[in-house]
Amino acid sequence: MSILCEVINVDKRFSSRVMQTERVLEVAEAFGLGLEERDFVIYDNLPITVEMGDVVYINGQSGSGKSLVLRELAAELRNRGHRVANIDEIELLDKPLVDQIGETTNDAIRLLSLAGLNDAYLLVRTPDQLSDGQKYRFKLAKVIESNADVWVADEFCAVLDRETAKVVSFNVQRTARKVGATVIVATTHTDLVSDLKPSLIIEKHYKAKVSVERSEA
């Protein structure tokens, strides 16, 4: 695995212009709205240092820009030659789970168990027979199997019940640290910190307000 210690500057801003239709103008006049073009700064040249084996926990409310910084980090690390496994890029095949993962049956069972898929009957099911939460956990197992340098998951464990999310979070960070992979997740939830044990926490608020804190896992 290549040494990973990258400083990435995240700079994201956009301009907003309102289409001035007749009704829009009526609303603007009635409520005193200004319709001039505006610049919105989401990240203002924010430097983020990602070290080998980091667990990066990006937290923020919906619409605050947490997914944006996750995508920027993943894209930049990939551009710099690191192998990135993104859960959103995992393809599901139309065949039983046990045939889609692992070098052997026992290896498949091990990987699926790490992602919280412990029921034997699920091994012989195809993805179209799974719930959204089960599909998510299967994709996560595929990420773990990937041997990538960096594991990326947006909306991390959002479709799982909170107890399952905690178990899966603990297994992911423990496995990643064992193999030296870097984990980058984004979520609106704040209850996974103790299980993920992140070494880098990025707290995104609205507009350009953001905090980056490094801690000992």
Side-chain angles (χ1 to χ4, degrees):
M1 178 179 294
S2 58
I3 295 177
L4 174 58
C5 184
E6 304 279 8
V7 179
I8 299 170
N9 285 306
V10 180
D11 186 72
K12 281 293 177 180
R13 59 194 72 223
F14 65 92
S15 297
S16 176
R17 176 181 298 174
V18 176
M19 183 181 297
Q20 298 187 14
T21 66
E22 182 177 346
R23 290 189 179 185
V24 167
L25 292 172
E26 288 178 358
V27 170
E29 183 177 354
F31 293 96
L33 301 179
L35 299 181
E36 67 276 6
E37 184 173 348
R38 298 181 181 181
D39 288 330
F40 292 89
V41 178
I42 308 300
Y43 292 97
D44 187 12
N45 284 311
L46 174 69
I48 299 175
T49 301
V50 179
E51 297 180 0
M52 181 178 64
D54 267 344
V55 175
V56 184
Y57 189 90
I58 306 169
N59 183 249
Q61 294 299 313
S62 179
S64 62
K66 64 185 183 303
S67 297
L68 195 157
V69 73
L70 176 141
R71 291 194 296 270
E72 285 293 302
L73 291 176
E76 188 58 33
L77 290 172
R78 181 172 280 159
N79 288 341
R80 297 184 187 190
H82 300 289
R83 293 169 296 156
V84 176
N86 190 327
I87 195 169
D88 291 332
E89 298 171 357
I90 299 296
E91 295 184 3
L92 301 180
L93 305 178
D94 185 24
K95 58 183 182 179
L97 302 192
V98 72
D99 292 319
Q100 296 191 55
I101 191 169
E103 296 182 359
T104 65
T105 301
N106 286 338
D107 193 32
I109 293 172
R110 177 186 66 83
L111 289 165
L112 293 171
S113 295
L114 288 174
L117 293 172
N118 301 307
D119 296 326
Y121 80 93
L122 292 175
L123 300 178
V124 299
R125 303 293 182 182
T126 54
D128 64 304
Q129 297 173 317
L130 304 180
S131 68
D132 288 342
Q134 290 165 344
K135 289 178 184 176
Y136 182 89
R137 282 177 279 171
F138 179 62
K139 288 183 177 181
L140 197 55
K142 292 290 290 181
V143 169
I144 294 172
E145 181 193 33
S146 67
N147 291 321
D149 301 329
V150 184
W151 303 349
V152 176
D154 197 3
E155 301 297 343
F156 183 68
C157 291
V159 296
L160 306 183
D161 67 81
R162 302 324 298 159
E163 287 305 312
T164 300
K166 289 175 180 291
V167 172
V168 169
S169 297
F170 179 79
N171 287 343
V172 166
Q173 64 86 8
R174 183 181 62 178
T175 304
R177 287 186 162 105
K178 185 180 297 184
V179 301
T182 298
V183 177
I184 305 176
V185 304
T187 176
T188 59
H189 295 285
T190 59
D191 60 348
L192 301 179
V193 174
S194 61
D195 298 288
L196 268 177
K197 305 182 187 304
S199 50
L200 187 65
I201 299 177
I202 302 172
E203 183 76 22
K204 183 65 179 70
H205 307 280
Y206 285 104
K207 296 185 178 179
K209 186 178 180 183
V210 60
S211 62
V212 180
E213 180 180 352
R214 180 166 289 279
S215 62
E216 292 299 326

